[in-house]
């Protein structure tokens, strides 16, 4: 969802040039170009930076993305930009494809909020709007084997993330994050405590889902995995049909891999059934996906996967509600408008709960 442009591109370019010069000590004659996208998202602000300099007698170039913590347009209750950066930095020497990172700036004085810089990776992303299930899109234009390869690439990414040792990565302290509390019960407490922020307190399906989730908490894993958090095709950048970069770690946490798998399945369901689009014929179904994940991970996940999909639907309905409130608050839709994202998310959660009622 786009929001109005807020930055002066030339001032931003000068500020970032100074910052980059301090992180490229061998650079001389540093020049930068900064693109401030016209439509900024309701998540982190994204700036595109092209840096050119001379080093050891040769011209060097680096294409960067700068992620700035949200200020006015904040979907989640708090920014976790520092944790995102730490995860990307920790994953640089693993087989999880992530952009390289250049540095993190905690001081908000420079750009108005903390930010970090990472390498820009070439590729394409399966779109959310319009849904990648719609005709004439980059996924629907692939043949069925290509569609399947895109889907299985995402499942393989989940497996690679979940098999990592969080202690070796130095990420064990994600357990104590104030924005992503460890433990399924604690996460439910967190979302319930922020109902007013999301605007979901009056939603019947959200309340029903919360009660059901509390009554049937699955066991916690003995050894938690690193979780991507927002695990979906729309957060993967592809080269051909192979994942080239795993993006958007703002919901990262530690926990059972089923949490990511449930979100991966549910968000795909939202972009098909949830928006009234026939699911692409080449994308493997739920049963095949679960079987493949179990083969990769060497363990069964089917026993409690329904719970994790409802957990995904519960959280997604809250996030969609918050986006709807922001659209109204900043005058991007009329106050009386029925925001499709929020409406569709609530209805899909209601349909998910109905067989259980």
């Amino acid at each position: 969802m786009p929001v109005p442009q807020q930055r002066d591109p030339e001032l931003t370019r000068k500020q970032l040039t100074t910052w980059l010069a301090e992180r490229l000590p061998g650079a001389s004659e540093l020049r930068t170009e900064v693109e401030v996208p016209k439509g900024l998202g309701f998540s982190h602000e994204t700036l595109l930076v092209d840096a050119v300099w001379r080093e050891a007698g040769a011209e060097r170039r680096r294409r960067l993305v700068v992620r700035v913590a949200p200020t006015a347009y904040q979907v989640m209750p708090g920014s976790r930009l520092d944790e995102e950066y730490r995860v990307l930095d920790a994953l640089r020497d693993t087989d999880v494809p992530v952009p390289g990172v250049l540095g993190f700036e905690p001081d908000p004085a420079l750009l108005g909020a903390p930010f970090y810089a990472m390498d820009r990776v070439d590729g394409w992303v399966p779109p959310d709007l319009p849904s990648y299930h719609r005709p004439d899109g980059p996924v629907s234009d692939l043949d069925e084997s290509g569609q399947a390869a895109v889907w299985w690439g995402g499942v393989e990414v989940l497996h690679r993330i979940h098999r990592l040792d969080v202690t070796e990565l130095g990420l064990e302290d994600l357990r104590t994050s104030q924005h992503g509390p460890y433990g399924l019960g604690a996460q439910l407490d967190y979302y319930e405590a922020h109902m007013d922020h999301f605007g979901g307190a009056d939603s019947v399906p959200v309340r029903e889902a919360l009660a059901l989730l509390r009554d049937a908490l699955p066991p916690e894993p003995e050894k938690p995995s690193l979780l991507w958090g927002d695990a979906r095709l729309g957060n993967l950048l592809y080269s051909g049909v192979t994942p080239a970069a795993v993006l958007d770690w703002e919901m990262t946490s530690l926990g059972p891999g089923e949490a990511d798998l449930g979100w991966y399945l549910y968000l795909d369901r939202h972009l098909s059934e949830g928006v009234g689009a026939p699911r692409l014929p080449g994308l493997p179904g739920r049963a095949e996906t679960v079987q493949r994940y179990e083969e990769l991970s060497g363990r069964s996940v089917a026993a409690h996967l329904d719970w994790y999909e409802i957990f995904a639907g519960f959280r997604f309905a809250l996030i969609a509600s918050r986006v709807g409130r922001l659209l109204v608050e900043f005058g991007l839709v009329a106050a009386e408008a029925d925001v499709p994202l929020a409406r569709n998310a609530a209805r899909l959660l209601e349909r998910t709960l109905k067989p259980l009622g």
Side-chain angles (χ1 to χ4, degrees), residues 16-351:
L16 283 174
T17 301
T18 300
W19 185 83
L20 287 170
E22 295 174 354
R23 282 149 187 83
L24 298 168
S28 63
E29 303 176 32
L30 175 64
R31 307 185 308 277
T32 62
E33 292 183 4
V34 176
E35 179 184 347
V36 181
K38 293 181 180 179
L40 306 175
F42 273 130
S43 181
H44 296 86
E45 183 182 356
T46 299
L47 308 174
L48 305 179
V49 181
D50 290 326
V52 182
W53 68 93
R54 296 195 67 80
E55 186 174 345
E59 185 175 270
R60 311 277 185 182
R61 293 178 179 269
R62 194 163 180 179
R63 300 167 68 241
L64 299 166
V65 175
V66 173
R67 295 260 285 173
V68 187
T71 52
Y73 311 108
Q74 188 164 298
V75 174
M76 302 302 286
S79 172
R80 302 178 61 194
L81 202 72
D82 56 335
E83 292 175 340
E84 285 186 52
Y85 178 82
R86 285 188 56 226
V87 169
L88 289 173
D89 192 37
L91 295 179
R92 66 168 69 209
D93 294 323
T94 71
D95 63 355
V96 177
V98 293
V101 290
L102 180 60
F104 175 75
E105 179 53 64
D107 188 348
L110 196 65
L111 296 183
F115 65 90
Y116 69 81
M118 62 183 176
D119 290 315
R120 200 184 323 170
V121 180
D122 292 328
W124 64 276
V125 175
D128 292 337
L129 189 67
S131 163
Y132 55 76
H133 289 284
R134 301 287 189 189
D136 302 320
V139 183
S140 58
D141 286 348
L142 296 170
D143 60 23
E144 291 191 16
S145 65
Q147 293 172 10
V150 165
W151 182 262
W152 290 133
V155 176
E156 173 67 28
V157 160
L158 294 184
H159 168 60
R160 291 185 185 183
I161 295 169
H162 299 160
R163 73 181 181 188
L164 294 171
D165 188 312
V166 295
T167 302
E168 291 182 2
L169 291 173
L171 296 174
E172 259 194 321
D173 60 349
L174 286 179
R175 289 173 181 261
T176 59
S177 168
Q178 61 176 322
H179 300 300
Y182 178 73
L184 298 172
Q187 289 192 47
L188 294 178
D189 292 342
Y190 172 81
Y191 282 98
E192 184 172 23
H194 291 94
M195 283 285 192
D196 288 341
H197 170 85
F198 290 109
D202 297 329
S203 169
V204 172
V206 164
R207 284 294 183 185
E208 289 180 353
L210 178 59
L212 186 151
L213 291 167
R214 286 200 182 281
D215 287 345
L217 278 172
E220 299 280 0
E222 291 184 13
K223 188 175 183 180
S225 298
L226 175 66
L227 300 181
W228 178 5
D230 197 359
R232 56 192 177 90
L233 291 188
N235 280 337
L236 282 169
L237 192 147
Y238 284 84
S239 175
V241 295
T242 303
V246 185
L247 308 174
D248 289 353
W249 292 81
E250 60 194 296
M251 292 171 64
T252 189
S253 62
L254 302 184
E258 290 92 324
D260 271 350
L261 180 60
W263 186 271
Y264 187 78
L265 292 167
Y266 194 89
L267 268 290
D268 177 74
R269 185 181 169 195
H270 161 70
L271 290 171
S272 51
E273 176 189 339
V275 301
R279 196 165 186 272
L280 292 175
L283 296 183
R286 182 183 186 275
E288 294 173 87
T289 302
V290 173
Q291 180 181 355
R292 179 59 178 154
Y293 182 86
E294 289 180 336
E295 291 171 352
L296 290 169
S297 64
R299 64 187 185 88
S300 175
V301 299
H304 301 287
L305 190 56
D306 287 347
W307 189 96
Y308 288 100
E309 289 177 86
I310 294 170
F311 184 42
F314 164 75
R315 291 177 293 155
F316 181 64
L318 288 175
I319 291 169
S321 173
R322 173 63 176 168
V323 171
R325 292 184 70 182
L326 288 171
L327 286 168
V328 173
E329 181 179 346
F330 290 97
L332 299 177
V333 299
E336 68 274 9
D338 184 8
V339 180
L341 175 65
R343 181 189 68 232
N344 292 337
R347 287 181 176 176
L348 182 58
L349 178 58
E350 187 176 22
R351 288 198 297 273

